[in-house]
Amino acid sequence: MMFSYTKKFNRINTQQLLENNNYNNEPSFFWENNKSNELLIGIGCNEEIELLNSNDLDSVHSKITKKLNTITDLTPEMNMKPKFFGGYKFNTEMNKKNNWDNFPNGYFILPKYTIMSNQDNTFITLISKSNKENIATIDEFAKKIINNNDMQIEKQKNKLYAKYVDDIDCKSNYLKIINQILSDIKRGSINKVVISKLKTISIKGRFNLSKAMQQLQKSYPECINFYIHLPNRGTFLGSTPERLIKKNNAQLISEAIAGTFRRGLNMKEDLILENQIKEDLKNLEEHNLVIKEIAHILNPLLKNIVISKSPNILKLKNVQHLITNITGELKKNIHILKLVKMIHPTPAVSGYPVDKAKKLIDKYEKHDRGWYSGPIGWIDSSGDGDFCIGIRSSFINNNIIQLFSGGGIVLNSIPEEEWIETELKMKPILEIIENNDQ
């Protein structure tokens, strides 16, 4: 038996939550989604569940449900349901190494403390085996968050030196792979393949995770900014524009994001590019394949499915994307993890048809994607949750930072333009490395 106790505070701003807490010695999770005005931070560990491969998802779902059902909520009026946080690899059967050796294929954690902030308040939830810790323990924890003097180590200056390491995905190799994929597409065996690349950077000095997340929040407020930190195992972080699926009672929300143009140098050029991407055959084909697959999976589960008549434009700091919202109401209750298993990977990160694309990805990519382009999110005791796709992301371990990006290859793809697109997509993480001096 475990107990959950929540206390409400005046809103603690995100900068304080990040700056004044050193999470390095405990597992921690950060999730900020401005689309739903939601900030979640999990700290410490009550229980962790590791995933070996996708076949384990049903047992993980069962274990999570069983554990959450043993928790007695002592403050139900707060409506802060206990949550597991976590995610898993793009392909849990793939094991090509590349610095991921010590990081789990999949991992879900029930934190000791969960912090949730909205526009008005911050809620801190403590989950423990004792129903007597409660108020005093939460007050002490909150005081540490707010008190700058407790965390002077965060204020120490430390120069971060970064150096590029030789990459297996140099430009010539990447262009060669794209041309091979185009040959596969022209033979009619497949419509789309999303091929990724890896850039490796060695660092000297301590990477300031707090500062990195603050910069991502400031530069990419339209994205879901996240990290999962496992001490002595690594940190996976990113700023993704792409929600995989959200379930709230019977309501489902998914997004198709595929098709990318750069931003303009001024407002006039930006509008010209926006109009061009709306009519660009290559980008529309890439986008429509994602809609087609998501709709094919979700339609039988929904009373009604609502798909935007035409794509909208999602403008980020460095690129603009075609985005289509897909929503509906479930015919019967389905746990969020089952929905994630059904829908992942979408053609946005794999290709179309998905199974054929995964085989070609395994053939052509020499690196292990790890959690890049995998699902990451949270689950509550009702089986609701929210998962994004872990793109625009990097993995940090042993003074090595691995950056990932990818692009969808279809019949009309131009290899040189695909290379430029993947370079643009790496900018969010490159910027936080270049500006990570403390």
Side-chain angles (χ1 to χ4, degrees), residues 2 13 40 52-53 71 78 82 89 94 105 107 112 114 131 175 178 180 206 223 245 292 327 329-330 381 417-418:
M2 300 193 80
N13 69 54
L40 290 166
L52 295 178
N53 55 57
I71 299 172
M78 294 291 185
K89 293 174 65 173
M94 185 184 293
N105 285 348
Y107 180 90
K112 183 174 182 180
T114 300
N131 63 352
L175 296 182
I178 292 174
Q180 290 171 320
R206 190 172 70 86
C223 293
I245 192 161
K292 180 180 178 181
T327 60
E329 184 179 351
L330 285 168
S381 54
E417 291 183 1
E418 295 297 332

Side-chain angles (χ1 to χ4, degrees), residues 77-330:
E77 69 278 6
M78 294 291 185
N79 197 29
M80 292 291 140
K81 296 174 183 176
K83 293 175 175 63
F84 269 83
F85 299 96
Y88 55 95
K89 293 174 65 173
F90 165 77
N91 184 350
T92 54
E93 278 70 42
M94 185 184 293
N95 193 22
K96 295 180 180 177
K97 306 305 179 181
N98 298 119
N99 208 36
W100 290 96
D101 293 9
N102 203 31
F103 208 75
N105 285 348
Y107 180 90
F108 291 89
I109 185 170
L110 176 66
K112 183 174 182 180
Y113 293 100
T114 300
I115 303 169
M116 196 287 282
S117 282
N118 56 30
Q119 284 182 326
D120 302 314
N121 299 105
T122 293
F123 299 83
I124 300 179
T125 300
L126 167 68
I127 299 175
S128 71
K129 293 179 181 178
S130 169
N131 63 352
K132 296 179 181 179
E133 279 188 73
N134 305 337
I135 300 176
T137 306
I138 289 180
D139 284 341
E140 183 182 345
F141 179 75
K143 197 177 294 183
K144 286 182 179 179
I145 293 174
I146 299 167
N147 189 347
N148 291 329
N149 296 324
D150 284 354
M151 295 307 302
Q152 287 303 316
I153 188 171
E154 290 293 330
K155 305 297 183 183
Q156 293 174 0
K157 295 290 181 182
N158 177 42
K159 183 75 176 176
L160 185 78
Y161 297 93
K163 182 177 74 173
Y164 288 94
V165 178
D166 289 338
D167 292 314
I168 54 176
D169 295 317
C170 64
K171 184 175 181 179
S172 59
N173 286 346
Y174 194 72
L175 296 182
K176 181 180 178 182
I177 291 170
I178 292 174
N179 282 311
Q180 290 171 320
I181 291 170
L182 286 171
S183 296
D184 292 324
I185 293 171
K186 288 171 184 175
R187 284 196 293 269
S189 59
I190 196 161
N191 299 91
K192 173 184 176 181
V193 180
V194 179
I195 201 73
S196 72
K197 69 181 187 185
L198 166 70
K199 190 186 293 288
T200 304
I201 296 174
S202 67
I203 58 172
K204 184 178 179 182
R206 190 172 70 86
F207 182 82
N208 189 328
L209 183 57
S210 298
K211 184 169 183 179
M213 296 313 298
Q214 288 177 57
Q215 186 172 339
L216 288 175
Q217 290 172 303
K218 183 178 179 180
S219 299
Y220 299 92
E222 309 86 355
C223 293
I224 298 172
N225 297 303
F226 67 87
Y227 74 70
I228 183 163
H229 168 71
L230 303 181
N232 303 315
R233 303 182 78 173
T235 302
F236 180 62
L237 68 91
S239 181
T240 176
E242 193 161 357
R243 167 181 271 151
L244 179 63
I245 192 161
K246 179 180 181 178
K247 174 180 176 284
N248 182 20
N249 298 317
Q251 299 301 314
L252 284 193
I253 301 172
S254 184
E255 293 172 348
I257 295 183
T260 306
F261 263 29
R262 67 176 177 85
R263 294 296 303 269
L265 297 176
N266 51 55
M267 289 181 65
K268 183 179 179 181
E269 186 189 25
D270 202 54
L271 184 59
I272 290 170
L273 291 169
E274 176 184 329
N275 290 328
Q276 285 178 355
I277 193 174
K278 288 178 179 177
E279 299 178 357
D280 184 78
L281 293 178
K282 180 265 179 185
N283 281 284
L284 287 171
E285 179 188 3
E286 187 183 340
H287 187 77
N288 288 332
L289 288 172
V290 180
I291 298 172
K292 180 180 178 181
E293 179 69 5
I294 294 175
H296 172 72
I297 294 168
L298 293 184
N299 195 38
L301 309 176
L302 302 174
K303 293 179 183 178
N304 62 314
I305 188 166
V306 179
I307 302 172
S308 307
K309 289 183 179 179
S310 58
N312 293 313
I313 301 296
L314 175 64
K315 290 182 182 287
L316 306 180
K317 179 181 176 183
N318 55 330
V319 292
Q320 47 191 324
H321 295 295
L322 294 173
I323 177 172
T324 295
N325 293 318
I326 302 168
T327 60
E329 184 179 351
L330 285 168

